[in-house]
Amino acid sequence: MTIREAAEALGATIVQDEFEDTVLTGAFTSDLLSDVIANAKDGGALITIQAHKNTVAVATLVNISVIIICTSRPIPDDMLAAAKEEGIAILLTKENQFKVSGKLYALLEVG
């Protein structure tokens, strides 16, 4: 499943759309960025409420392809600019991390 396919299936809005539409290899859910650094895997999605520029820096460090911001958190312009520069997709959803994690897990397991 590609990033754009996942966004559509999740009903999420793509708010940073300048990225390579790669196939997702998994996902990691955390709001603690040091946890993401220690445990996230290459090519996956990060599911979080951490809507700030540092989230993009961490995603770049561990080769995350897409950041999914939950609970309709406002996304600051500097985060969008950093994600655009790094080619990382940013999705926005009104749902919480638990629901998004479950849905994406099911989509990736079936797909």
Side-chain angles (χ1 to χ4, degrees):
M1 169 168 286
T2 67
I3 295 169
R4 291 185 189 279
E5 290 169 339
E8 184 176 335
L10 293 170
T13 302
I14 301 172
V15 294
Q16 195 309 95
D17 65 354
E18 294 185 30
F19 60 89
E20 185 179 340
D21 193 22
T22 58
V23 173
L24 291 176
T25 59
F28 189 75
T29 304
S30 185
D31 295 324
L32 184 61
L33 296 180
S34 60
D35 186 35
V36 176
I37 292 169
N39 297 297
K41 305 294 185 220
D42 285 359
L46 171 58
I47 302 165
T48 187
I49 59 167
Q50 295 293 340
H52 52 76
K53 188 176 175 181
N54 290 344
T55 308
V56 175
V58 167
T60 301
L61 183 65
V62 296
N63 199 30
I64 293 287
S65 302
V66 56
I67 301 168
I68 304 172
I69 302 295
C70 298
T71 65
S72 299
R73 292 279 174 128
I75 301 173
D77 291 339
D78 65 342
M79 181 183 189
L80 292 173
K84 181 178 179 179
E85 184 175 317
E86 297 294 339
I88 296 172
I90 297 184
L91 310 183
L92 181 64
T93 179
K94 65 181 179 188
E95 293 186 322
N96 66 35
Q97 300 95 305
F98 178 75
K99 288 183 181 179
V100 173
S101 297
K103 287 180 178 183
L104 191 55
Y105 177 83
L107 289 167
L108 293 177
E109 286 295 305
V110 172

